[in-house]
Amino acid sequence: MEAVVEQQKDEFSPAIWRNRNFLYLWLAGLCSSFGLAIFLFSESWYVVEVMGLEASLGLVFIASSVPRVLFMVIGGAVADRFNKNVIMFLSDILRAGVAVALVFWLLFGTVTIWSFVLFALVFGILDAFFWPANGGLLPSIVEKKQLTRANSIIQITNQSSFILGPMLAGAVIALGSYVLAFSVTAGLLLIASIAILLIRMTKRKTKASSTENGSELWTSIKEGILYVKQSAFLVSLILFAVFINLFMVGPLQMGMPLFVKGVLDGNSLTFSYLEGTLAGGMLLGSILVGILNLQKRRGLLVICAMGINGLFFCLFSFTNELWQSLLLIAFLGTTFSVINIPVIAAIQSIVKEEMIGRVMSLLSMASMGLVPVSFALTSLFLSLGADITNIMVIGGALIVILSVIAFFKVPSLREFD
């Protein structure tokens, strides 16, 4: 009886927090995500408020997103060939250097929109190397049975930064200055880089690949693509990431301000309520997934959550009262986390350690690569006179249909634990 009680106690105790390596990784993620959130908010608000170049803000976003997509596969291959700690350290310390350079530029030079484009370009390239290494490092320091919980904690931290980071940045700018805001970013990234250096990895024997024998980087990338193609499960996940981002991201991100203005007859404050509630729903979903720490039928959970996600999106488009919209957008955010976290944990638990960086980079590229296409298609339909609510309904319905097809036609995903 005592053994059973002790086992239950261990299962529900915060054992993962006694893992020093995970604690350092979490601290690095906390500082890094808040630092980047402060940087992005300050950068955007400076362009809008100080420069008065609202129309040029898109150049900054493009400068960071395009290189992130283009270099992501290369970043995955590099992560599988070299020490992931070193890659993450260099990425954070270089981003801290960029923030410091911007501080000096603000103090002693003339900052233009092209200055921010340059900084965004560097940040995007460094992100492409940081995230595959980050995704590949976690399964090396956490037991497989704790991967779902570990990923949920990481997601909670990231999503909290999306909610609190802009608020903190706004307060720093209001009470201090933009120089102080970018200095805070540099300090947080410096702390993150130090925390990464404190992670101590044990050497593991892994099967040698052609990249370890001196083959070219392109061969390494092709190995990663071939590895994914040979797994019906991984191919299914990547295809789902492609379609969800194609059908959901554009209509949601572009459609929300249009929905607020045209349907809810709201203002910027109303828009902020919806954005905050969506992030709050994602945070709630991350907490639920972390508490449950499901180890069985995760594939079925993802399929069901994807279908419910599409249904909530459809229902959201029919709302015409703010409280209804807030309720549905909260549910929508919750299902996002229920989909994402088990998928990441599943990949980390089944993929070979020497391939994890490339697989994670391919998944990230599939997710982000179609976002500009989704924006373009949404813009095209809007220019042709389509109503945003109809675009949302179609996007949500297509996701529901995709989940039904996955349930009946993709047993490798449905039956995955």
Side-chain angles (χ1 to χ4, degrees):
M1 183 67 179
E2 292 181 0
V4 174
V5 173
E6 188 66 28
Q7 181 179 357
Q8 291 178 343
K9 180 181 177 182
D10 180 68
E11 180 180 355
F12 293 102
S13 67
I16 195 167
W17 294 109
R18 293 195 293 269
N19 183 332
R20 183 172 298 180
N21 283 334
F22 175 77
L23 191 59
Y24 288 138
L25 183 63
W26 172 79
L27 177 61
L30 175 69
C31 295
S32 182
S33 59
F34 269 85
L36 293 177
I38 293 171
F39 181 88
L40 291 174
F41 180 91
S42 304
E43 175 187 60
S44 301
W45 198 239
Y46 189 93
V47 172
V48 172
E49 183 193 40
V50 178
M51 295 182 169
L53 299 174
E54 296 91 339
S56 300
L57 187 59
L59 291 173
V60 179
F61 290 126
I62 292 172
S64 62
S65 60
V66 171
R68 187 184 296 119
V69 173
L70 293 178
F71 284 90
M72 187 66 73
V73 175
I74 298 176
V78 171
D80 286 334
R81 297 183 68 181
F82 301 101
N83 191 306
K84 297 177 179 63
N85 304 52
V86 174
I87 295 172
M88 293 173 64
F89 167 77
L90 290 175
S91 178
D92 270 340
I93 201 70
L94 289 173
R95 286 187 289 191
V98 170
V100 170
L102 181 54
V103 168
F104 278 94
W105 208 325
L106 286 169
L107 290 173
F108 305 109
T110 302
V111 176
T112 67
I113 186 64
W114 298 111
S115 307
F116 283 109
V117 168
L118 175 62
F119 292 132
L121 181 69
V122 176
F123 261 74
I125 294 173
L126 294 174
D127 279 350
F129 289 89
F130 178 87
W131 292 112
N134 181 71
L137 182 62
L138 186 61
S140 301
I141 63 178
V142 174
E143 295 180 4
K144 285 188 176 182
K145 66 180 181 179
Q146 291 283 359
L147 275 174
T148 301
R149 180 163 293 158
N151 277 288
S152 71
I153 293 172
I154 298 296
Q155 289 295 320
I156 289 169
T157 303
N158 292 339
Q159 287 149 13
S160 297
S161 72
F162 292 140
I163 300 173
L164 301 177
M167 297 171 58
L168 179 60
V172 170
I173 293 171
L175 299 175
S177 64
Y178 285 98
V179 169
L180 179 60
F182 291 121
S183 299
V184 170
T185 293
L188 288 171
L189 289 171
L190 180 61
I191 295 172
S193 63
I194 294 173
I196 291 169
L197 281 182
L198 294 174
I199 298 175
R200 293 291 179 263
M201 301 295 299
T202 56
K203 293 184 179 180
R204 298 184 181 182
K205 293 181 179 181
T206 56
K207 182 179 178 181
S209 65
S210 59
T211 60
E212 293 170 330
N213 295 326
S215 65
E216 297 294 331
L217 192 63
W218 175 241
T219 303
S220 176
I221 295 173
K222 289 194 292 185
E223 285 180 353
I225 296 173
L226 181 62
Y227 181 84
V228 170
K229 287 175 63 177
Q230 292 174 343
S231 170
F233 174 73
L234 293 176
V235 170
S236 301
L237 287 183
I238 288 179
L239 288 177
F240 291 151
V242 166
F243 285 115
I244 287 177
N245 282 274
L246 182 63
F247 298 148
M248 177 72 74
V249 175
L252 180 61
Q253 291 192 4
M254 289 187 62
M256 201 180 301
L258 299 176
F259 185 83
V260 168
K261 182 178 180 180
V263 178
L264 299 180
D265 194 25
N267 52 26
S268 59
L269 188 60
T270 308
F271 181 38
S272 69
Y273 289 156
L274 286 177
E275 288 277 10
T277 304
L278 177 65
M282 295 173 67
L283 179 62
L284 176 61
S286 299
I287 294 172
L288 290 175
V289 173
I291 293 173
L292 295 175
N293 195 31
L294 297 176
Q295 302 296 316
K296 299 291 184 181
R297 311 304 296 273
R298 286 181 292 184
L300 181 61
L301 173 66
V302 168
I303 292 175
C304 293
M306 187 167 62
I308 296 172
N309 178 273
L311 179 61
F312 282 147
F313 194 36
C314 289
L315 293 175
F316 172 78
S317 68
F318 289 110
T319 61
N320 52 27
E321 297 288 343
L322 179 59
W323 71 268
Q324 298 170 345
S325 302
L326 292 174
L327 182 64
L328 268 299
I329 205 74
F331 287 144
L332 188 67
T334 302
T335 55
F336 276 134
S337 294
V338 176
I339 294 170
N340 291 333
I341 295 173
V343 165
I344 295 172
I347 291 176
Q348 292 171 337
S349 63
I350 67 169
V351 173
K352 296 178 181 178
E353 184 179 348
E354 64 268 22
M355 300 297 297
I356 186 69
R358 280 164 283 185
V359 173
M360 293 298 292
S361 68
L362 287 171
L363 180 65
S364 298
M365 190 182 70
S367 299
M368 294 186 296
L370 269 291
V371 170
V373 178
S374 182
F375 286 146
L377 288 175
T378 303
S379 299
L380 175 62
F381 288 129
L382 288 171
S383 66
L384 294 175
D387 189 83
I388 187 59
T389 56
N390 293 330
I391 296 175
M392 288 179 171
V393 169
I394 293 173
L398 288 172
I399 291 176
V400 172
I401 293 171
L402 182 65
S403 64
V404 172
I405 294 174
F407 180 83
F408 289 104
K409 298 294 185 181
V410 190
S412 61
L413 178 59
R414 184 183 68 238
E415 298 169 1
F416 180 78
D417 287 333

